Amino acid sequence: MLSRTADHLFWMARYTERAENTARMLDVHVQTALLPQSIADAEQGWRAVLGISELLYGYDQKYEQVTQKDVIDFMVRDPDNPSSIASCLRQARENARAVRGALTTEAWEIQNATWIKMQSYLQTSALEQNPSDFFEWVKHRSHLSRGVTIGTMLKDEAFHFIRLGTFLERADNTARIIDVKFHGAKETQGQKQGGQSQSQSQSQTQSQSQGDDDIGQIDFYYWAAILRSVSGFEIYRKVYRDVITPERVAELLILRSDMPRSLLGCMGQVLSNLKNVHNDVSADTERFAGKLHADLQFARIEEVLDAGLHDYLTVFLERIFELGNRISRDFLVPLAA
């Protein structure tokens, strides 16, 4: 396969997956923003959403304050933001158009129709009136694109490059969500503990039990929101059949091979599809991906947490970035230096 064709297919899949991931993050945060919280906490939450996609600098250059309306507008429709949903779906469609001959008619029509319908969608006030409906639509279109790809395309190199792009993007996004959300939880808990240690009044002691219950409920919704952002809430209940704890959330999203959006699950798919497009110069890249997969496969969550989750995920993201560069070097149009 020509490297330019492989490049278009790979990035078509990555942009489609990125649009869905952005919709998932925004949808969950719109729901959790309805919970009781201070103005400072609300702003910090939306900053975390921007931070996941490394968009804080771009947002701050354009807006003076962080508000829900502006963050949604920036991450959904802003043409100057290359990671906005509109930009991602446009790029996915353009990449698909460039290689229509490598796609089935159904696969191309899904990409084209999604772009056309999104333009008409954003010209109305539907996003402002009910953003969750729009985010569900984006997720549905991404599911439809994947389903049509699996159901209509020959399992040849074109198919494997599409799947390779999908799972590489998904692994990167899941790692970012875990890292940012766990840091947010630590900061919130630290602030609560600090506030409690400074107050020694009798009234606070008497109401401590009720306060603990309130914190427990907030924590439940917080961790449940993280799981829902990766469609993992029902899976968690099925696997663990117990209360939601940060350690088990981390284990599910990092080390469970049967969890579709876990790091191990994604890397298993990346490695499998990489082997299916093997060429004369890709042995080192396969070995690099294999080591990353093996490190996840044989890790234990206790070891990961003892070593420091943030440090672990930082290294993982660096290795995913390096793997993307190696794939570009070996198969695709090389990235500009």
Side-chain angles (χ1 to χ4, degrees), residues 30-180:
V30 164
Q31 301 300 323
T32 55
L34 298 175
L35 295 172
Q37 57 185 318
S38 67
I39 295 176
D41 286 342
E43 179 178 335
Q44 183 61 36
W46 286 110
R47 281 195 169 274
V49 172
L50 291 165
I52 289 174
S53 302
E54 298 185 356
L55 295 174
L56 264 174
Y57 178 79
Y59 180 91
D60 288 339
Q61 293 295 315
K62 194 164 188 176
Y63 299 94
E64 294 181 357
Q65 295 181 327
V66 176
T67 65
Q68 175 174 315
K69 178 182 179 300
D70 288 340
V71 172
I72 291 177
D73 191 71
F74 181 69
M75 296 188 70
V76 171
R77 68 169 91 233
D78 194 328
D80 297 326
N81 173 13
S83 294
S84 70
I85 291 175
S87 295
C88 287
L89 293 181
R90 176 177 57 82
Q91 289 292 337
R93 189 257 185 188
E94 289 303 307
N95 278 286
R97 184 176 62 85
V99 288
R100 285 184 61 176
L103 299 171
T104 60
T105 300
E106 293 90 342
W108 155 248
E109 287 179 348
I110 289 296
Q111 295 290 343
N112 193 44
T114 298
W115 167 243
I116 293 172
K117 290 179 181 178
M118 189 204 64
Q119 287 182 295
S120 61
Y121 208 127
L122 295 182
Q123 288 173 0
T124 69
S125 59
L127 177 62
E128 289 74 18
Q129 293 175 355
N130 195 339
S132 289
D133 279 354
F134 174 77
F135 299 140
E136 283 298 325
W137 176 82
V138 173
K139 288 189 284 182
H140 173 74
R141 299 303 295 187
S142 181
H143 297 328
L144 194 58
S145 176
R146 279 196 302 274
V148 167
T149 298
I150 294 171
T152 68
M153 287 191 64
L154 184 69
K155 305 304 185 289
D156 59 1
E157 285 187 329
F159 175 85
H160 293 301
F161 276 115
I162 291 172
R163 300 295 283 170
L164 185 58
T166 294
F167 287 105
L168 195 66
E169 182 68 31
R170 186 178 294 180
D172 179 271
N173 180 78
T174 298
R176 292 177 186 277
I177 287 176
I178 299 170
D179 192 21
V180 172

Side-chain angles (χ1 to χ4, degrees), residues 270-283:
V270 168
L271 185 59
S272 174
N273 285 283
L274 199 52
K275 289 179 179 178
N276 283 316
V277 294
H278 173 87
N279 65 22
D280 294 339
V281 298
S282 64

